[in-house]
Amino acid sequence: MTPRNAATAEDITQPQIPLIDLHQPPHLLRQQLYAACSTWGFFQLLNHDIPSSLLSQFREAISSFFSLPYESKLKLKRNANNSRGYFDDELTKRRRDWKECLDVGVPGSRDWSAGDDADINSCLDGRNRFPVEEECPKFREVVVRYFEECARLSNELAVLMAGVLGGEGGVEGGM
């Protein structure tokens, strides 16, 4: 039986994106994280502890939002004064992209319980815009929970990466 992360002849001819399992022993996690970050620059994360139920709820919420009538989404369109919200008019190399997006960020107050339109939630890139509850039930609630889980995971990864790549608390030169 081949160890889970052992290289094979196929890996040499067809490299695969590194898989990092957050639940593996710390010394293996550090080794694999160092190799992925210093060689590839990215990786796929396994066992990240974001509940699968939340991932499903998030997929459903996003699907519901993008299934709304175009006119409903346009009510949330970002503009020159607020770069957060819905957009479908981004350009790449002066050509319109074939995508729709909803930009959301941490509220200016860092307090998701404050109203999105509250003055304390205004920040450099604007204020969050969410569909009304009647059009997209529980959308904001699910997106906020998902956002918070991703922020927690991002912080955890940043600390780990700083450690293995020689940042504060890390070992110079990685391993």
Side-chain angles (χ1 to χ4, degrees):
M1 179 174 187
T2 306
R4 184 168 167 205
N5 293 319
T8 65
E10 185 179 88
D11 293 335
I12 295 168
T13 57
Q14 296 195 0
Q16 295 183 354
I17 295 171
L19 300 175
I20 306 289
D21 183 344
L22 276 181
H23 288 182
Q24 65 184 314
H27 71 283
L28 290 177
L29 175 60
R30 288 191 299 272
Q31 287 174 352
Q32 290 179 1
L33 197 54
Y34 177 78
C37 291
S38 62
T39 305
W40 284 78
F42 57 90
F43 50 88
Q44 180 178 344
L45 193 61
L46 306 174
N47 292 316
H48 46 66
D49 292 334
I50 296 177
S52 59
S53 60
L54 179 57
L55 294 173
S56 295
Q57 291 170 359
F58 181 73
R59 279 188 211 100
E60 278 182 39
I62 293 301
S63 180
S64 293
F65 173 77
F66 287 108
S67 295
L68 288 173
Y70 187 64
E71 297 75 30
S72 294
K73 293 181 279 191
L74 282 180
K75 294 175 190 172
L76 307 172
K77 188 158 177 56
R78 67 183 187 178
N79 57 45
N81 298 320
N82 190 355
S83 64
R84 294 184 183 184
Y86 172 79
F87 63 99
D88 66 346
D89 53 358
E90 191 164 84
L91 303 177
T92 300
K93 295 183 181 179
R94 294 181 292 187
R95 297 187 71 170
R96 189 171 178 168
D97 290 337
W98 288 19
K99 67 180 178 189
E100 294 180 282
C101 300
L102 181 66
D103 241 340
V104 175
V106 176
S109 68
R110 303 277 193 257
D111 181 5
W112 288 98
S113 67
D116 295 313
D117 290 332
D119 287 341
I120 61 170
N121 277 335
S122 183
C123 58
L124 184 61
D125 60 343
R127 298 176 185 172
N128 289 322
R129 295 176 172 191
F130 290 100
V132 295
E133 187 72 15
E134 296 76 35
E135 283 189 314
C136 215
K138 298 197 181 278
F139 181 82
R140 184 185 187 281
E141 174 189 326
V142 170
V143 169
V144 168
R145 282 195 352 247
Y146 179 75
F147 193 99
E148 288 175 333
E149 282 292 319
C150 288
R152 176 202 53 78
L153 179 58
S154 296
N155 289 336
E156 181 181 344
L157 283 174
V159 169
L160 286 167
M161 290 166 60
V164 300
L165 296 174
E168 188 173 320
V171 177
E172 199 60 38
M175 305 311 297

